[in-house]
Amino acid sequence: MGEAGPGPGAGPGPREAQEPEEDEAAAPGGARGGRAGPRGGIRVLKRNAKRTGSRSCQSRSRVGSRERTWLKGDVGRGCVYVYGRDSAAAAPSDLRLVLCTVDTQASEICDGEGRKNLFLQLHGDLVRRLEPTEKPLQIVYDYLAGLGFDDPLRMQEEAANSDLSCMIRFYGEKPCQVEQLDRILLSGVYNVRKGKTQLHKWAERSVTLCGTCLIVSSVKDSHAGKMHILPLVGGKVEEMKRRQYTLAFTSAGAQAQTYHISFETLAECQRWHRQASTIVSMRFSMVDLSCYSLEEVPEHLFYSQDITYLNLRHNFMRTSGAGSLDSLCRFSQLKSLNLSHNRLGEFPVSLCEISTLTELNISCNGLHYLPSQIGKLLNLQTFWLDGNFLTSLPEEMGNLQQLNCLGLSFNNFCELPAICEKLVNLDKLALAGNLLETLDLTVLNRMSHIKTVDLRLNNLKRAAADTLEGNKSVAYMDLRDNQMTDLDLSSLVSLEQLHCERNKLRELTLSGFSLRALYANSNCLTAVNIYPVPGLLTYLELSHNQLQCVPDWACEAKKLEVLDVSYNLLLELPSRILRSLSLRKLMVGHNRLQSLPPLLEHIPLEVLDLQHNLLTKLPETLFVKALNLRYLNASANSLESLPSACTGEESLSMLQLLYLTNNNLTDQCIPVLVGHPNLRILHLASNNLQTFPASQLSKLEHLEELNLSGNKLKTIPTTVANCKLLHTLIAHSNEISIFPEILHLPRIQFVDLSCNELTEILIPEALPGSLQELDLSGNTNLVLEHKTLDIFSHITTLKIDAKPSLTADSALTSTFWNHGVAEMAGQRNKLCVSSLALGSFAEGVEAVYGMFDGDKNEELPRLLQCTMADVLLEEVQQSDTMFMSNTFLVSHRKLGMAGQKLGSSAVLCYIRNEVADPASNFSLTVANVGTCQAVLCRSGKALPLSKVFSLEQCSEEARRVKEQKAIITEDNKVNGVTCCTRMLGCTYLHPWILPKPHVSSIPLTVQDELLLLGNKALWEHLSHAEAVSAVRHLHDPRAAAKKLCTLAQSYGCQDNVGAMVVCLNISEDNCTCEMHGLTLPGPGGFSSTTTKPATPSCSSGIASEFSSELSASEVSSEVGSTASDEHGAVGLDGSLLPRQERRCSLHPVPPSSIFQRQPSSATFSSNQSDNGLDSDDEQPVEGVMTNGSKVEVEVDIHCCKGKGLELERPAAEYSSSAPGPENDSGLVLIIRRQNSVNSNTVQRGVKEKCELQKSLSTCCLYGKKLSNGSIVPLEESLNLIEVATEAPKKKTGYFAAPSQVEPEDQFVVPPDLEEEVKEQMKQHQEDGADQELKEEHAAPLPEEFDTAL
């Protein structure tokens, strides 16, 4: 297992005990109640674990305390779960927990349990029999190490987790599924009648359906007596109407025979009918037994002598014994045999005796050599040997003169096999993923019969030729993903198609005699030379290179239909290109074009992509001469106007898709759009539009998608109702105040009006049934009535602003960061992107943001969205270094059965307060797998924090996957499934796909402005720098995220796209430290100095949150005990205690003096009885509701100390201003109910001052922590309402109010209590003045407390 796994001899041998969960086990070294193995007994804990209907994994650990104690003794110890036979029945399966060591062999466990074999299942898929010498616990540890765990103790803990069984599981008996058994073999004893007439009688017979035949025999003699074999391929199976549960099986041919079989139940009849129907529908005799964990072929299969195609892929076939590979020669007509992925290790020599074979696939079997007997397969035409360890081929292969296709991909060949010269009929040679470094054209020339050569994913650096002799045979060559810098293939005069993408080519030279298609994107090309002019060339792709001009020969190619020169350095476009009479598609985006040549003649151009250039105008005759133009993308230019679409009264334009996002277009361009009556998709986002004339919009009757976001529109014209085909309207980030009349449209599906100025919505009585999503978020003045919400409740997705939270955490975290999220499905039917955004995390000034992309599945992103934050919280508490990596690995495990076949990319960002590093304020830790990325904007520059794990963009990962013998298909996907090499989920692709993330950590500074998260679709269409510059000036993160998604869609994205923007405000302006001129009151009361206090900004409002859930006696005892536990030396006079310097989260004190956060609460007592009555009154207190129980309140105390912050108070609201300047704002006390029943009641807490002053516990509050991590100052009284009334006298803005206060949350003092409250306030002020005089003589050390933390 390497360094990650425990070494041998790590502990005493295991032992056995038939004990339940009681912790009464003897010492691990002894043996009880079982046979001892070579190194001691095996301890087995027998459990009966019930399975749910979905057969999901067990969620809890079944290891007792005694077992855990034994495991902690050595990392070489551990436990494995051994399951009984896994069936679909509802009865519980027998589960045994076996304690063992890494040296315990499978044979020892089998002896201890009285079993013959132990089976291993990976990822809920195939099940194989373990060899007696294999070590189960070591297998588990090796598996965990392969996932990414490197701590032996953590691996031991993970191995004991029952959730791991979804990835790796042991069985005492081989599990069988009924559905699989039915596909392999159906048998039983039934009443059978032969013939179509009723002359024959019904008789009881043994019937078997296996392979391609129906076998009928007598019950007594079984297979020893007479048997009737009925071939079913090409025949038919029918239900008999006259007899219940009876099927008629008929063979094919002129002399067809029929057998009637009567079943006892309908279910059984349907099983046979379903399987037989599959057989009779086949055009040839093929049997598919792939993925059945077979070790041998069923004996009944050999009666199907007409089998020509046999698929045994993904099994564990034995090479000898009954039904093994040695028996396959019994099939006399077998032509095609697939034995890939069978862990053979050696080539079965017996296969060479099947002389009828024409196709043999023995890929991915760990073969190192081929036997010489391979030359006996004289009829072999196709031979697949991919994914092995071959370095050479035997000379005897030269006898295979019929061979025309040879697959040697992903082996260890260092050169072209010389034996291929003798295979004169060889047409296709596949050598992708080998170790070739030089392309020897001389050797290739000697193989004059080969037409197709696949050399992808090698280490090719150059092409060499000893002679100038031309090659007239090679027509197709694939050289993708190599390391070539220069390539000259001019000697391949018959070359028709060349793939050379993702090399390092600077210059390319080819012959143009036969060239039809050239794919050379993603190189460093500055010159492409083709001679003669390729007269047959139809497709030319040269994107992502360094070309400064279009090659001249491309302008002369008379049959060129597609030209892609995007992402180059083009300064101009030759006029001959636009005059081409064959060109249908022209892609010149992402260049430096400032103008286009004029069009003088009609051209057949259909697709034109001009995005990301420097164009200020388009050719005046573009729409007049290019009448076939259907797609035009001119986004991200500097267009100020559009050319006219018609010269006369009628327009002939066929334009359907028009993208003009991110230009300088004004209202004057709108009338021009009317000249394109066939427009279906129109994007005008991020321009300078102020109005959209109603008369113009009404003429676009075929419009289906309209994007007007990011402009200055006040309204959407009412004539939008004429666009009956409109299904998508995107108009976010405008100034729209009137809801458009779009809810009458019959096909409307998606409406985005977020980030506008809507105030009200007029809706019809019934919404269109097609409406799926309505986004109204970001409209701060919009108030929806309950009736409107009821109508909108039928919409699948409704996005509106939630009621702002006034908690302390939300007020504090909003000071440092706030976020916005946008997710758009595009042209897909479902959204497979989910996001995670927690601005307040772990009860402190921390945050977690994440993005998850499931590609084509929506289940995994949603699971990760719901669970990953909880996993992170647990891991942070366990480890300070590996918490992010372990979060991904544990989340991978927790996906359970859903993660076996499905996968998801993920990026997770964790902003934490670095208390261990006083030099830094916050740190950002980012981890990702797959293609989701995070980018930090620092000083206006994009700083990537993620690593893209894909075959195309990560050469290290491609090398790793290739070395592990994965099959990378031609579309660059691992086993044809995904291009990602690291994902959460997709466990069945282990070890090629891993969940271990890339982790990076960086301290946040004042220069950090934004944090951007996005999925693959976003970053494929927007560069990091463009994304940063596009949203850096926006203040609303929601609008910024919306803009990123809109830009991606306008730039050509048709897939799901997700974006998250986090605005960072890590600046010195948010500091509340004493060192920045802010002073908090001491323990003796509030400071009496006349110096005007510093005033923090409104945006940095800090709130202290308190909750009361205890009675008066409980409060006193709890607070007193907490104080005495944490500070035993504190005396009654708290003012004598020295206090540390007050620091905020931006400037933490050294770690030795920091109070760690812990769940706790500060409470205040009440004299109210259980029925809500005051102890001194006979009537209930006004404003307080009674419910027969204690009154629970949660108090937020805020003091408005922000410049320009005004709060309107009701007349009955109680407020008190401290003596001082008139512009000093007063106090607003906000009381929020925790109890929903009493949500409208108010708690009176002023009257209990005297009782609290007499309480001893209230004098010992130094270090008492609140639920948000704050520390309660040492006061004479714990009456928080009383403390709040003195807040304006403090010099620090000790309490700060949020920018908005809900009227229903304001504290209102009943009129009959106003005099009493004023009297107590006056008394408190006098007491405070006396205390300040005492402090001056005592001269205590300055003390500050940080409520921000």
Side-chain angles (χ1 to χ4, degrees):
M1 190 181 63
E3 59 183 10
R15 61 186 189 85
E16 176 183 3
Q18 295 293 338
E19 303 175 283
E21 293 196 38
E22 291 84 14
D23 301 326
E24 299 176 357
R32 269 172 67 183
R35 295 189 301 174
R39 301 188 55 182
I42 299 176
R43 183 179 181 192
V44 181
L45 300 180
K46 185 176 181 180
R47 314 238 191 266
N48 286 327
K50 293 184 178 180
R51 301 178 62 89
T52 61
S54 60
R55 292 183 289 174
S56 60
C57 301
Q58 300 294 331
S59 60
R60 63 182 182 89
S61 176
R62 293 175 174 79
V63 182
S65 58
R66 289 282 290 211
E67 289 78 24
R68 292 187 182 278
T69 303
W70 182 76
L71 293 177
K72 291 180 181 179
D74 199 316
V75 293
R77 301 172 181 173
C79 63
V80 293
Y81 291 91
V82 179
Y83 292 78
R85 180 183 295 270
D86 186 14
S87 63
S93 59
D94 186 19
L95 172 63
R96 293 173 181 266
L97 179 64
V98 181
L99 301 180
C100 55
T101 69
V102 292
D103 294 324
T104 303
Q105 297 181 356
S107 58
E108 300 179 51
I109 297 179
C110 292
D111 293 342
E113 293 191 308
R115 300 181 184 274
K116 295 182 179 181
N117 296 288
L118 197 63
F119 297 87
L120 170 65
Q121 183 184 42
L122 294 177
H123 323 122
D125 196 4
L126 303 181
V127 180
R128 74 174 180 90
R129 188 192 312 269
L130 290 180
E131 296 295 331
T133 56
E134 290 189 84
K135 304 171 182 178
L137 184 59
Q138 186 66 53
I139 293 176
V140 175
Y141 283 175
D142 289 343
Y143 182 88
L144 293 173
L147 289 180
F149 289 103
D150 53 8
D151 182 11
L153 290 176
R154 184 57 189 265
M155 289 164 55
Q156 185 185 64
E157 178 184 346
E158 287 293 317
N161 197 310
S162 60
D163 287 348
L164 194 65
S165 61
C166 285
M167 294 188 287
I168 181 169
R169 176 181 293 193
F170 296 94
Y171 286 98
E173 300 179 28
K174 188 174 182 179
C176 297
Q177 296 184 4
V178 176
E179 295 179 358
Q180 289 189 354
L181 293 177
D182 289 350
R183 292 177 57 187
I184 298 174
L185 182 144
L186 284 174
S187 63
V189 178
Y190 307 102
N191 288 325
V192 179
R193 192 190 72 188
K194 182 181 179 181
K196 297 182 178 180
T197 64
Q198 299 183 3
L199 298 178
H200 296 82
K201 297 182 180 181
W202 291 90
E204 193 176 62
R205 294 289 183 266
S206 175
V207 185
T208 301
L209 181 63
C210 183
T212 61
C213 297
L214 181 71
I215 305 171
V216 180
S217 61
S218 62
V219 179
K220 180 179 179 180
D221 298 331
S222 186
H223 305 300
K226 185 177 180 181
M227 302 177 62
H228 300 270
I229 300 176
L230 186 69
L232 293 179
V233 176
K236 59 182 179 179
V237 56
E238 299 174 317
E239 295 185 22
M240 290 187 63
K241 299 181 179 180
R242 297 182 180 181
R243 188 179 180 95
Q244 193 176 24
Y245 311 147
T246 301
L247 297 178
F249 295 84
T250 305
S251 62
Q255 299 180 353
Q257 293 183 343
T258 301
Y259 280 88
H260 297 85
I261 303 177
S262 178
F263 301 93
E264 297 180 357
T265 63
L266 175 62
E268 200 168 18
C269 180
Q270 291 175 343
R271 286 171 54 199
W272 281 73
H273 192 195
R274 182 169 54 250
Q275 184 63 20
S277 299
T278 304
I279 298 175
V280 299
S281 63
M282 294 189 300
R283 292 179 297 176
F284 47 83
S285 299
M286 181 185 72
V287 175
D288 185 1
L289 297 178
S290 60
C291 305
Y292 284 144
S293 303
L294 294 178
E295 296 181 353
E296 59 188 25
V297 175
E299 182 64 26
H300 289 86
L301 191 64
F302 292 104
Y303 293 104
S304 304
Q305 284 300 308
D306 59 338
I307 293 179
T308 56
Y309 295 85
L310 179 59
N311 187 359
L312 294 173
R313 181 180 61 92
H314 271 292
N315 286 290
F316 303 100
M317 295 298 299
R318 294 184 288 107
T319 57
S320 61
S324 65
L325 298 181
D326 291 345
S327 305
L328 296 184
C329 58
R330 295 169 57 183
F331 295 107
S332 58
Q333 301 182 31
L334 190 61
K335 293 182 179 180
S336 177
L337 176 62
N338 189 343
L339 286 172
S340 61
H341 296 88
N342 267 272
R343 297 172 58 95
L344 296 177
E346 295 182 357
F347 188 94
V349 180
S350 59
L351 298 181
C352 301
E353 304 298 329
I354 311 177
S355 59
T356 57
L357 279 180
T358 60
E359 180 179 359
L360 177 60
N361 189 341
I362 198 164
S363 302
C364 302
N365 277 290
L367 306 181
H368 288 79
Y369 68 93
L370 295 180
S372 58
Q373 292 88 337
I374 196 70
K376 295 181 180 181
L377 299 176
L378 300 179
N379 294 317
L380 199 62
Q381 300 177 11
T382 303
F383 197 10
W384 299 108
L385 291 162
D386 303 330
N388 287 292
F389 299 93
L390 300 176
T391 57
S392 62
L393 299 177
E395 289 293 331
E396 289 76 8
M397 277 194 64
N399 299 333
L400 308 182
Q401 294 299 306
Q402 301 296 324
L403 194 65
N404 56 41
C405 180
L406 179 59
L408 299 173
S409 298
F410 303 100
N411 280 278
N412 296 333
F413 289 93
C414 297
E415 58 184 4
L416 297 176
I419 196 64
C420 294
E421 299 180 23
K422 299 180 180 180
L423 303 175
V424 294
N425 285 319
L426 189 62
D427 179 80
K428 180 178 181 180
L429 177 62
L431 277 167
N434 279 274
L435 306 177
L436 279 71
E437 295 186 356
T438 302
L439 175 58
D440 195 335
L441 297 178
T442 303
V443 175
L444 193 61
N445 290 340
R446 293 199 295 265
M447 303 175 186
S448 58
H449 41 275
I450 296 182
K451 297 182 180 180
T452 301
V453 181
D454 185 359
L455 296 173
R456 297 176 294 119
L457 295 159
N458 276 274
N459 299 326
L460 294 175
K461 296 180 175 60
R462 65 188 185 94
D466 297 336
T467 63
L468 298 178
E469 181 182 358
N471 187 306
K472 298 182 180 180
S473 61
V474 177
Y476 176 94
M477 180 168 285
D478 195 339
L479 299 173
R480 283 177 287 180
D481 299 288
N482 281 283
Q483 304 175 27
M484 309 184 75
T485 55
D486 295 285
L487 182 60
D488 186 350
L489 297 179
S490 56
S491 61
L492 304 182
V493 295
S494 298
L495 187 64
E496 297 181 5
Q497 182 171 325
L498 173 65
H499 282 274
C500 57
E501 304 99 301
R502 293 181 296 278
N503 277 271
K504 301 177 182 178
L505 294 176
R506 296 188 298 267
E507 186 173 356
L508 177 63
T509 304
L510 301 174
S511 171
F513 283 108
S514 304
L515 192 64
R516 297 177 182 272
L518 172 60
Y519 303 84
N521 55 290
S522 302
N523 282 285
C524 305
L525 289 171
T526 58
V528 180
N529 305 313
I530 298 181
Y531 182 83
V533 174
L536 301 177
L537 186 67
T538 59
Y539 195 103
L540 178 59
E541 183 173 346
L542 298 172
S543 62
H544 292 86
N545 281 286
Q546 299 178 11
L547 298 174
Q548 296 185 359
C549 61
V550 178
D552 292 337
W553 53 263
C555 303
E556 300 176 4
K558 301 301 182 181
K559 293 186 178 181
L560 186 62
E561 297 181 1
V562 178
L563 174 60
D564 188 352
V565 287
S566 56
Y567 292 93
N568 277 280
L569 306 176
L570 301 181
L571 298 176
E572 61 179 0
L573 193 64
S575 59
R576 290 180 296 172
I577 287 292
L578 288 180
R579 292 202 304 263
S580 173
L581 299 180
S582 61
L583 195 63
R584 299 290 187 273
K585 183 177 182 180
L586 177 60
M587 314 288 287
V588 290
H590 295 271
N591 281 281
R592 302 176 181 178
L593 301 177
Q594 297 184 5
S595 62
L596 295 178
L599 294 178
L600 303 178
E601 300 175 356
H602 290 281
I603 57 176
L605 196 64
E606 298 177 3
V607 176
L608 178 59
D609 191 339
L610 301 170
Q611 62 175 299
H612 288 86
N613 279 283
L614 305 175
L615 300 174
T616 57
K617 63 178 182 178
L618 298 175
E620 292 296 332
T621 58
L622 175 63
F623 298 126
V624 177
K625 299 299 182 181
L627 295 178
N628 292 332
L629 191 64
R630 288 175 171 79
Y631 174 96
L632 173 62
N633 194 332
S635 301
N637 280 280
S638 301
L639 298 179
E640 298 179 357
S641 61
L642 296 177
S644 175
C646 57
T647 55
E649 296 181 356
E650 184 178 357
S651 173
L652 300 177
S653 173
M654 300 295 294
L655 191 64
Q656 297 181 12
L657 290 82
L658 179 58
Y659 298 89
L660 298 171
T661 295
N662 200 10
N663 279 284
N664 298 325
L665 298 175
T666 61
D667 302 348
Q668 298 178 357
C669 73
I670 303 300
V672 180
L673 299 176
V674 182
H676 305 286
N678 297 309
L679 270 181
R680 295 191 298 107
I681 298 178
L682 175 60
H683 282 219
L684 291 170
S686 301
N687 280 282
N688 297 323
L689 302 180
Q690 295 184 358
T691 60
F692 200 115
S695 59
Q696 310 297 336
L697 183 58
S698 63
K699 298 179 181 180
L700 300 177
E701 297 179 352
H702 294 86
L703 204 59
E704 298 177 8
E705 179 178 325
L706 177 61
N707 193 327
L708 299 172
S709 59
N711 286 283
K712 301 177 182 179
L713 297 175
K714 305 292 185 181
T715 60
I716 300 293
T718 57
T719 52
V720 70
N722 294 338
C723 303
K724 301 298 183 181
L725 303 179
L726 190 69
H727 59 70
T728 300
L729 174 62
I730 304 176
H732 64 80
S733 306
N734 279 281
E735 301 173 4
I736 300 174
S737 58
I738 301 176
F739 192 82
E741 298 181 6
I742 55 175
L743 298 182
H744 298 279
L745 298 176
R747 297 189 181 183
I748 193 69
Q749 298 178 10
F750 178 84
V751 178
D752 187 352
L753 293 171
S754 60
C755 304
N756 277 285
E757 299 177 1
L758 295 175
T759 56
E760 61 179 355
I761 299 179
L762 299 177
I763 59 176
E765 295 182 357
L767 296 179
S770 59
L771 185 59
Q772 299 178 5
E773 181 172 342
L774 176 61
D775 193 345
L776 300 175
S777 58
N779 290 276
T780 56
N781 298 325
L782 179 62
V783 178
L784 297 179
E785 300 177 352
H786 290 289
K787 179 181 179 181
T788 304
L789 291 175
D790 291 340
I791 297 177
F792 283 163
S793 63
H794 301 288
I795 304 177
T796 304
T797 304
L798 174 63
K799 299 179 180 179
I800 56 176
D801 289 335
K803 185 177 180 180
S805 174
L806 297 180
T807 62
D809 288 342
S810 62
L812 184 60
T813 54
S814 62
T815 303
F816 300 113
W817 47 73
N818 57 336
H819 67 273
V821 181
E823 299 167 350
M824 297 183 180
Q827 297 185 7
R828 297 262 296 269
N829 292 329
K830 60 181 180 179
L831 181 65
C832 300
V833 178
S834 295
S835 57
L836 170 66
L838 296 177
S840 179
F841 180 70
E843 298 186 0
V845 190
E846 297 180 349
V848 173
Y849 300 102
M851 182 74 67
F852 314 106
D853 186 358
D855 191 17
K856 296 181 180 179
N857 79 88
E858 56 185 345
E859 182 178 0
L860 253 60
R862 292 181 180 178
L863 286 175
L864 294 171
Q865 179 189 35
C866 298
T867 60
M868 209 160 187
D870 296 333
V871 176
L872 175 62
L873 184 60
E874 295 176 0
E875 294 299 330
V876 168
Q877 297 172 354
Q878 294 186 21
S879 172
D880 290 335
T881 56
M882 300 297 296
F883 64 90
M884 208 58 152
S885 179
N886 289 343
T887 296
F888 274 67
L889 298 180
V890 173
S891 298
H892 176 74
R893 167 173 58 79
K894 286 182 174 293
L895 291 176
M897 296 179 67
Q900 291 176 350
K901 302 298 182 182
L902 306 177
S904 174
S905 298
V907 60
L908 192 66
C909 303
Y910 175 36
I911 303 177
R912 67 186 306 187
N913 198 349
E914 284 293 348
V915 295
D917 185 8
S920 64
N921 306 324
F922 296 96
S923 69
L924 173 62
T925 303
V926 178
N928 81 291
V929 292
T931 53
C932 292
Q933 301 180 59
V935 177
L936 182 66
C937 173
R938 173 169 289 180
S939 300
K941 304 295 183 181
L943 181 62
L945 302 176
S946 306
K947 182 177 182 180
V948 179
F949 289 102
S950 68
L951 292 172
E952 296 182 357
Q953 302 187 42
C954 187
S955 58
E956 297 86 356
E957 285 294 289
R959 189 181 306 111
R960 175 186 66 82
V961 172
K962 186 176 70 172
E963 291 174 353
Q964 292 174 337
K965 301 304 176 183
I967 302 299
I968 301 176
T969 53
E970 293 186 358
D971 55 355
N972 244 25
K973 293 184 178 181
V974 180
N975 280 23
V977 177
T978 175
C979 63
C980 296
T981 58
R982 301 201 182 189
M983 301 176 68
L984 297 180
C986 275
T987 57
Y988 80 105
L989 291 178
H990 177 86
W992 310 306
I993 306 297
L994 298 177
K996 186 175 182 179
H998 169 267
V999 182
S1000 63
S1001 184
I1002 184 174
L1004 294 179
T1005 65
V1006 179
Q1007 290 78 27
D1008 296 327
E1009 306 171 19
L1010 298 172
L1011 176 63
L1012 308 182
L1013 282 73
N1015 69 331
K1016 175 184 177 181
L1018 179 71
W1019 300 119
E1020 278 185 344
H1021 295 85
L1022 271 82
S1023 65
H1024 297 158
E1026 183 181 4
V1028 167
S1029 61
V1031 300
R1032 186 186 177 197
H1033 65 283
L1034 298 178
H1035 301 290
D1036 185 359
R1038 181 192 288 110
K1042 291 278 187 181
K1043 182 176 181 179
L1044 291 179
C1045 291
T1046 297
L1047 291 179
Q1049 290 186 331
S1050 295
Y1051 296 163
C1053 176
Q1054 299 181 1
D1055 207 343
N1056 290 171
V1057 58
M1060 181 183 298
V1061 177
V1062 183
C1063 295
L1064 302 174
N1065 190 22
I1066 312 298
S1067 63
E1068 297 296 332
D1069 296 338
N1070 298 323
C1071 179
T1072 56
C1073 293
E1074 180 184 19
M1075 56 184 288
H1076 287 260
L1078 302 178
T1079 307
L1080 287 181
F1086 300 96
S1087 176
S1088 59
T1089 177
T1090 58
T1091 306
K1092 186 175 181 178
T1095 304
S1097 63
C1098 312
S1099 61
S1100 60
I1102 303 174
S1104 297
E1105 182 178 301
F1106 306 93
S1107 63
S1108 173
E1109 298 181 359
L1110 304 177
S1111 62
S1113 59
E1114 290 171 333
V1115 169
S1116 301
S1117 61
E1118 183 190 24
V1119 175
S1121 61
T1122 304
S1124 60
D1125 290 342
E1126 296 184 0
H1127 301 277
V1130 178
L1132 297 179
D1133 188 4
S1135 61
L1136 299 179
L1137 290 174
R1139 295 177 292 121
Q1140 60 188 12
E1141 181 184 57
R1142 182 183 183 277
R1143 296 292 188 94
C1144 72
S1145 57
L1146 292 174
H1147 304 91
V1149 295
S1152 59
S1153 60
I1154 284 194
F1155 289 100
Q1156 299 296 327
R1157 300 187 188 93
Q1158 66 183 26
S1160 61
S1161 60
T1163 58
F1164 62 91
S1165 63
S1166 171
N1167 274 344
Q1168 290 178 341
S1169 60
D1170 289 342
N1171 61 359
L1173 296 179
D1174 192 284
S1175 58
D1176 298 332
D1177 299 331
E1178 295 180 357
Q1179 299 296 330
V1181 179
E1182 183 178 351
V1184 177
M1185 296 179 61
T1186 61
N1187 61 351
S1189 62
K1190 64 179 182 295
V1191 178
E1192 300 177 355
V1193 300
E1194 187 177 30
V1195 183
D1196 279 0
I1197 304 175
H1198 303 281
C1199 177
C1200 305
K1201 299 292 291 183
K1203 182 178 180 180
L1205 181 62
E1206 298 180 359
L1207 296 175
E1208 299 180 1
R1209 301 178 178 84
E1213 178 185 352
Y1214 169 71
S1215 62
S1216 174
S1217 300
E1222 293 181 1
N1223 58 356
D1224 284 349
S1225 55
L1227 168 75
V1228 174
L1229 181 65
I1230 300 175
I1231 296 183
R1232 297 189 299 109
R1233 305 291 308 190
Q1234 281 185 330
N1235 192 338
S1236 60
V1237 177
N1238 301 330
S1239 58
N1240 296 323
T1241 62
V1242 181
Q1243 169 74 12
R1244 188 180 71 173
V1246 179
K1247 193 173 181 180
E1248 291 77 14
K1249 170 186 174 182
C1250 299
E1251 288 76 2
L1252 285 171
Q1253 286 179 335
K1254 296 177 183 179
S1255 175
L1256 176 63
S1257 62
T1258 59
C1259 302
C1260 305
L1261 292 175
Y1262 184 81
K1264 176 63 179 177
K1265 301 177 183 61
L1266 304 181
S1267 59
N1268 64 345
S1270 303
I1271 301 174
V1272 179
L1274 187 61
E1275 303 285 354
E1276 289 185 347
S1277 172
L1278 190 61
N1279 191 327
L1280 300 180
I1281 296 181
E1282 180 183 7
V1283 173
T1285 60
E1286 296 293 335
K1289 297 183 63 177
K1290 299 187 178 183
K1291 293 179 166 45
T1292 63
Y1294 185 84
F1295 302 97
S1299 58
Q1300 295 181 355
V1301 178
E1302 297 294 336
E1304 62 269 22
D1305 290 338
Q1306 296 177 354
F1307 177 58
V1308 179
V1309 178
D1312 59 330
L1313 296 179
E1314 288 184 3
E1315 295 299 329
E1316 184 179 0
V1317 170
K1318 292 180 180 179
E1319 182 65 26
Q1320 292 198 20
M1321 287 183 55
K1322 181 178 179 181
Q1323 179 65 30
H1324 180 75
Q1325 293 174 359
E1326 294 175 356
D1327 294 343
D1330 296 339
Q1331 185 66 23
E1332 290 174 0
L1333 293 176
K1334 294 179 181 179
E1335 286 183 349
E1336 293 178 359
H1337 297 287
L1341 294 176
E1343 177 177 345
E1344 303 296 338
F1345 298 91
D1346 187 4
T1347 59
L1349 294 180

